């Protein structure tokens, strides 16, 4: 047989091989003691010098190639065998899969940050239930029955007795009931209101409540603490404004605003041209509230404050629509 044909035939045969046993048989067929290539090489001895040289060269190349293909096939078959032995259908040639690392939702991040700032100032974190009674959500906080103030923060009633809390202020009552002054707590959590979704309202959102009651707690301390908080949260240069306000459970009450983070007080769309962004409600705890939990309002005084976490996050990250927080669009969430 001519060497070229032998070369081609041997290559074809290796390609068709399906097992290591078959491969060994092919090796013997061509390179065994009486193999076709072996014989061809042996027969070269009888040829004339020139022919021997050219044919010899071709035969050696063919032999080399044959050996290479043999090795390649062997590796391939061994891999396959290993895979079958492992009993798995794992395809080792597939590209790897990227594993995704999750992270906290922006609201959780901001909430943690707020709590951490107050914990750093000596406040203790406390939680309260999301299902409340009228007593805790309203009456104990000095909301008179049938008073329009109840509509200010209207709520979802579950039945005659229970409702979804419409603010975190009831946690103040629950803690004071159980604990004697000094009380210094920070209470984060979800609150619920029958508001339709729009750019600045959501029926479920988060608040953080603060309360400090002891002997001789003053309005100056309230001011100092909340100013400190604003600077830590929004930057050292932020200006903080206190204006009189009204809440049934505090007297006097104050709204706290920071200089607009967008226009720095010059006036823009975000601050509705006022230069200020309101972020906190606060005040000195009303004596009636202290009496409702059995505290002596002659002896003790305190301050309280509450803020919306979504609102703080929107101001901090310059987000103009609260709904973005709940849509969980990964392109939005990933940016935090
Ligand atoms: N509970 C109030 C609200 O949801 C916020 C608030 C205002 C909390 C003043 C307070 C406070 O503790 O002192 O609108």
């Amino acid at each position: 047989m001519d060497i070229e044909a032998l070369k081609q035939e041997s290559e074809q045969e290796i390609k068709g091989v399906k097992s290591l046993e078959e491969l060994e048989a092919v090796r013997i067929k061509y390179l065994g003691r009486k193999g076709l290539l072996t014989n061809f090489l042996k027969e070269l001895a009888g040829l004339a010098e020139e022919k021997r040289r050219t044919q010899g060269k071709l035969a050696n190349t063919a032999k080399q190639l044959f050996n290479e293909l043999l090795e390649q096939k062997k590796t391939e078959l061994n891999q396959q065998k290993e895979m079958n032995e492992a009993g798995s259908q794992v395809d080792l040639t597939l590209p790897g899969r990227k594993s995704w690392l999750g992270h906290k939702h922006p609201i959780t991040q901001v909430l943690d940050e707020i709590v951490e700032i107050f914990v750093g100032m000596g406040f203790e974190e406390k939680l309260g239930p999301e299902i409340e009674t009228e007593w805790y959500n309203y009456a104990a906080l000095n909301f008179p029955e049938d008073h329009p103030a109840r509509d200010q923060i209207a709520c979802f009633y579950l039945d005659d007795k229970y409702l979804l809390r419409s603010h975190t202020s009831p946690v103040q009552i629950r803690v004071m009931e159980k604990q004697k002054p000094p009380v210094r707590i920070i209470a984060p959590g979800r609150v619920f209101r029958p508001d339709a979704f729009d750019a600045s309202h959501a029926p479920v959102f988060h608040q953080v409540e603060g309360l400090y009651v002891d002997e001789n707690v003053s309005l100056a301390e309230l001011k100092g603490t909340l100013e400190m908080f604003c600077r830590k949260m929004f930057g050292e240069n932020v200006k903080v404004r206190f204006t009189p306000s009204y809440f049934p459970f505090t007297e006097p009450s104050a709204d706290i605003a920071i200089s607009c983070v967008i226009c720095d007080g010059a006036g823009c769309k975000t601050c509705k041209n006022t230069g200020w962004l309101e972020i906190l409600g606060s005040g000195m705890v009303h004596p009636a509230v202290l009496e409702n939990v059995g505290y002596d309002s002659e002896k003790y005084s305190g301050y309280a404050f509450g803020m919306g976490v979504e609102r703080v996050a929107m101001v901090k990250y310059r987000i103009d629509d609260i709904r973005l927080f709940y849509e969980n669009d990964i392109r939005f969430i990933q940016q935090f």
Side-chain angles (χ1 to χ4, degrees), residues 153 166-167 169 172 193 207 209-210 247 249-250 281-283 304-306:
I153 43 173
S166 51
H167 52 172
S169 302
Q172 292 185 25
R193 291 187 193 180
Q207 282 189 335
E209 190 81 16
F247 300 101
F249 39 93
T250 46
S282 70
F305 56 88

Side-chain angles (χ1 to χ4, degrees), residues 117-234:
I117 291 174
F118 284 105
V119 166
M121 294 195 278
F123 287 73
E124 189 190 348
E125 185 176 356
K126 290 278 182 187
L127 302 176
E130 291 176 350
I131 294 175
E132 274 294 7
T133 60
E134 277 207 48
W135 168 255
Y136 288 105
N137 199 69
Y138 294 123
L141 288 161
N142 201 36
F143 282 82
E145 214 163 308
D146 300 326
H147 190 278
R150 290 204 181 196
D151 288 338
Q152 260 182 359
I153 43 173
C155 70
F156 289 110
Y157 281 89
L158 299 175
D159 55 26
D160 292 347
K161 199 163 164 217
Y162 295 107
L163 49 84
L164 294 176
R165 68 178 177 191
S166 51
H167 52 172
T168 43
S169 302
V171 186
Q172 292 185 25
I173 306 297
R174 289 191 174 271
V175 171
M176 287 193 286
E177 263 180 356
K178 289 208 196 77
Q179 211 176 307
K180 291 278 154 255
V183 166
R184 196 193 264 126
I185 57 128
I186 188 86
R190 277 198 300 185
V191 300
F192 309 82
R193 291 187 193 180
D195 285 335
F197 253 127
D198 64 26
S200 51
H201 295 89
V204 183
F205 59 101
H206 300 77
Q207 282 189 335
V208 173
E209 190 81 16
L211 174 73
Y212 176 34
V213 181
D214 201 352
E215 288 178 41
N216 302 316
V217 176
S218 70
L219 187 67
E221 281 172 84
L222 159 73
K223 195 161 179 263
T225 306
L226 294 180
E227 256 175 24
M228 173 83 95
F229 164 74
C230 289
R231 282 209 296 276
K232 288 206 160 140
M233 195 71 199
F234 302 104

